[in-house]
Amino acid sequence: HILDHWFWFLLTAACVIWYSTITVYVAICGAKDIKGMFARLADRQKQDANTLNDGNRYK
Amino acid sequence: MTHFSWALDGSIVGVYLLVTMIAGMMVRKYVGKVEDYLVAGREMNVYLGIASLAATEFGIVTCMYTAQNGYQYGFAGAVPGITNFLAMLLVGWTGFCIKPLRDSGVITIPELFEKKFGPRIRWAAGVVIVLGGLLNMGVFLRVGGQFLVLCCGLDNIHTGIEFVDKYKLELMMTVLLAGVALYTIMGGMLSVLVTDFLQFIMMSLGLIVITVMVLVYVGWDKLVETVQVHYGAAGFNPFVNPKMGWEYVLFNMLLNTAVVLTWQTCIARVLAAKDSSTGRKVYTGTSFFFICRFLIPGIWGIAALAMLPAGTDSLEAMPRFMSTFVPIGLMGIMIAAMLAADMSTDSSYMLTWASVIYNDILAPFRRGKQWSERKGLFVSRTVVAMIGIFLLCYGLWYPLKGDLWTYLGVTGTIYLSSMSVLLVSCCYWKRANSWGAAAAIVFGAGIPIGYLILEQLPATKDIAARIGPYYSGIATYLIVALSMVVGSLLKPQAEQVSGRS
């Protein structure tokens, strides 16, 4: 049957290799994602503040 | 005797906790709106999403029951991980349900239901989701505490203060939960994402290092031989295992498809993603992790079976084995990894159920007058704090009776069957309406609770044992789907046209 110890051996090897690779990849690219996310949020907060100031000036 | 050194390992754990707390608190200045708080302003990108989803769905409780599966069933115990991988890969690849869900711009699943089924169904779905979710999460703290006490050897340390010695586990987990609650209350999803990222790195480091150690020092041949001696072919193949069979595999396929589609902590990552394409990539990218999630601790459980004397409690076997197997120094990394796994799970779960309470259960109170962002944030934060208090009271100071996996399965099924049927119908069946939705919610909650009662009553215990949890679970999904179809077809068409469906 396909579900013998060789199947589980190959799956375990795949897990260790994939998990090690994705951890390194996510560590590098995830840090960039966080940087980008906060840059966009800061921009949005600045825009919201400007809109509020424009509204107050008009009033 | 545990290998945990309070000087070296304790320092590693302390530094990790300090860094996490500082990072979690630093991002609170970016929370300006309720949307920032609940879905991170929908600014989450792919790799941050993968880290967050993986960290959220792997807690100490996960490690404990997957290791218990390995200890009790051998390699065949990792089958739910394979079905979870297949379900997540297919849903991510096709966009089934998650594409229309993310494109709709909702914050929670019940909010989408209101568009199709009306406000009452939205409210009822919110209640079912929160009930199932909170009861499910209720055992996380205690199980996490048990693991840490066994690994750190806390049960052998005496301070001389009677109260502290008696309630060591409770006090340790209370302090841990207070820390997690603090940054979750202040920063919401933004804090959760940043700390999840750090916790994913720490958790992965620990899991990989310990697994390689097990494979090197216990050895693959010894693991295979142990499974062969204890379980024979049934330890490798679920189809020939008398306790599993095809019904076990089919039930897990249905259960994991429902989890991928509607478990709110998974879906929260799709809803926080920049767009539906990003959400789908997060799912496909994380899918293989769900095999690792079952197989890696499963191997630890098999190693415990190989090295410990027979008759060890199956839930405690893995932490007992780890406490003597992992050397000083690496023990600190493992404890920090497990704390990381648990903190990321607790913070995400607290925020997720709070978002359903705020967005759906409290929705009727916002109908007359729109709440300001400030009031919305205050209410959301208060709800997170109240969930933290509930967890302490229910999960820590109230001991669980009975089997852990059964408890998790039953509390999860109460909501998974009905919500998955509602979501599929909502996205793809025009004729679906509130009658069908109401019937699905009633049957979805009624059948698992009914089965649980059958199991408990002495007169009906044998009937429940003959049916078994897997046939009962499969029947639940089929009956809920049927009730959605029948209920929807029974509702007069004219009523649907005149009002909301």
Side-chain angles (χ1 to χ4, degrees):
Chain A
H1 201 284
I2 189 172
L3 288 166
D4 62 2
H5 67 93
W6 282 109
F7 171 83
W8 295 106
F9 173 75
L10 292 172
L11 199 59
T12 302
C15 277
V16 173
I17 293 165
W18 179 86
Y19 199 7
S20 307
T21 310
I22 200 82
T23 300
V24 173
Y25 211 78
V26 163
I28 296 164
C29 300
K32 286 179 189 167
D33 282 359
I34 288 177
K35 214 174 164 185
M37 180 173 80
F38 286 118
R40 286 191 298 273
L41 282 168
D43 275 355
R44 207 195 287 178
Q45 280 190 341
K46 218 178 270 178
Q47 278 179 355
D48 287 349
N50 287 342
T51 309
L52 195 68
N53 288 339
D54 289 347
N56 287 341
R57 265 200 294 273
Y58 176 74
K59 268 185 196 170
Chain B
M1 184 67 186
T2 178
H3 288 174
F4 187 83
S5 148
W6 283 93
L8 178 59
D9 297 316
S11 302
I12 293 170
V13 172
V15 168
Y16 155 73
L17 286 175
L18 191 66
V19 170
T20 303
M21 288 299 295
I22 290 169
M25 293 300 289
M26 272 174 67
V27 303
R28 72 186 193 282
K29 65 179 178 183
Y30 292 98
V31 178
K33 299 175 179 175
V34 172
E35 198 180 59
D36 298 337
Y37 189 79
L38 295 181
V39 285
R42 301 191 197 275
E43 290 288 1
M44 190 194 77
N45 219 329
V46 176
Y47 294 102
L48 182 55
I50 290 172
S52 181
L53 181 54
T56 294
E57 294 306 324
F58 190 95
I60 291 180
V61 69
T62 322
C63 195
M64 292 281 269
Y65 70 67
T66 49
Q68 186 181 32
N69 260 19
Y71 188 89
Q72 288 182 321
Y73 304 116
F75 290 102
V79 164
I82 298 174
T83 57
N84 206 335
F85 156 68
L86 291 172
M88 188 165 268
L89 184 69
L90 283 171
V91 168
W93 185 44
T94 59
F96 180 64
C97 287
I98 63 169
K99 186 183 184 319
L101 180 66
R102 176 62 189 87
D103 288 342
S104 69
V106 297
I107 289 178
T108 55
I109 293 175
E111 191 181 346
L112 180 73
F113 292 162
E114 181 171 23
K115 296 177 181 181
K116 179 91 173 173
F117 304 123
R120 285 178 184 175
I121 294 297
R122 175 186 181 175
W123 191 84
V127 169
V128 170
I129 284 176
V130 168
L131 266 179
L134 284 182
L135 289 175
N136 195 280
M137 192 188 173
V139 294
F140 287 12
L141 270 186
R142 175 163 284 277
V143 175
Q146 273 178 324
F147 176 91
L148 294 170
V149 164
L150 287 169
C151 276
C152 300
L154 278 176
D155 43 354
N156 299 321
I157 294 174
H158 299 286
T159 60
I161 305 165
E162 193 184 343
F163 180 79
V164 173
D165 286 340
K166 194 177 177 186
Y167 295 110
K168 251 178 260 173
L169 185 153
E170 285 84 354
L171 288 169
M172 191 168 80
M173 296 313 286
T174 302
V175 171
L176 187 68
L177 183 73
V180 173
L182 185 65
Y183 70 70
T184 309
I185 288 167
M186 297 312 292
M189 185 59 114
L190 288 169
S191 283
V192 166
L193 286 177
V194 171
T195 52
D196 274 1
F197 172 71
L198 295 172
Q199 286 153 354
F200 173 79
I201 306 295
M202 192 71 228
M203 174 184 101
S204 303
L205 179 69
L207 288 177
I208 293 165
V209 167
I210 301 301
T211 303
V212 170
M213 272 190 64
V214 167
L215 292 173
V216 169
Y217 291 106
V218 177
W220 179 258
D221 290 342
K222 174 104 175 162
L223 296 174
V224 169
E225 187 192 339
T226 301
V227 173
Q228 187 67 52
V229 166
H230 282 82
Y231 306 114
F236 300 95
N237 185 348
F239 294 102
V240 300
N241 189 320
K243 289 180 181 171
M244 294 177 166
W246 69 268
E247 65 271 30
Y248 176 83
V249 178
L250 178 59
F251 170 68
N252 271 290
M253 199 65 225
L254 288 169
L255 177 73
N256 284 310
T257 304
V259 164
V260 163
L261 290 176
T262 60
W263 193 243
Q264 190 69 40
T265 51
C266 282
I267 284 295
R269 269 74 207 155
V270 173
L271 297 173
K274 283 163 62 179
D275 48 42
S276 59
S277 168
T278 304
R280 289 167 64 178
K281 284 176 188 164
V282 168
Y283 260 31
T284 49
T286 317
S287 58
F288 197 77
F289 173 79
F290 284 83
I291 292 185
C292 305
R293 177 180 179 257
F294 260 85
L295 189 53
I296 284 178
I299 285 171
W300 297 6
I302 295 168
L305 183 66
M307 307 302 275
L308 293 181
T312 308
D313 178 274
S314 62
L315 193 63
E316 292 186 353
M318 184 272 288
R320 282 195 188 285
F321 164 66
M322 286 296 163
S323 70
T324 54
F325 173 72
V326 180
I328 289 174
L330 278 181
M331 183 58 102
I333 290 175
M334 191 187 85
I335 296 292
M338 287 297 137
L339 278 174
D342 218 39
M343 289 168 78
S344 56
T345 302
D346 288 347
S347 62
S348 282
Y349 273 60
M350 284 164 73
L351 184 71
T352 299
W353 310 129
S355 69
V356 177
I357 292 173
Y358 170 80
N359 198 46
D360 304 307
I361 295 180
L362 296 179
F365 299 97
R366 293 199 304 271
R367 267 184 219 294
K369 190 182 150 195
Q370 199 60 36
W371 288 359
S372 67
E373 292 290 352
R374 198 172 169 177
K375 185 176 179 181
L377 279 172
F378 174 75
V379 173
S380 299
R381 284 173 166 147
T382 306
V383 173
V384 174
M386 287 170 74
I387 288 176
I389 293 166
F390 163 81
L391 283 179
L392 271 184
C393 299
Y394 180 83
L396 203 51
W397 301 92
Y398 175 81
L400 171 77
K401 295 177 182 71
D403 174 47
L404 175 65
W405 182 237
T406 304
Y407 177 87
L408 290 174
V410 169
T411 51
T413 303
I414 285 171
Y415 113 54
L416 286 170
S417 56
S418 58
M419 291 305 116
S420 53
V421 167
L422 257 73
L423 182 63
V424 174
S425 312
C426 182
C427 293
Y428 300 108
W429 191 33
K430 278 185 179 174
R431 188 72 201 274
N433 57 49
S434 57
W435 283 25
I441 289 173
V442 169
F443 280 104
I447 297 170
I449 291 170
Y451 179 76
L452 198 65
I453 293 168
L454 279 182
E455 261 189 329
Q456 299 300 319
L457 294 174
T460 54
K461 220 174 181 175
D462 291 344
I463 300 170
R466 227 174 298 153
I467 297 168
Y470 310 128
Y471 282 118
S472 160
I474 294 166
T476 304
Y477 284 92
L478 293 176
I479 292 168
V480 167
L482 193 66
S483 62
M484 167 57 91
V485 173
V486 172
S488 295
L489 294 177
L490 282 176
K491 188 171 186 178
Q493 288 270 48
E495 196 180 330
Q496 289 187 52
V497 173
S498 62
R500 190 186 287 277
S501 68

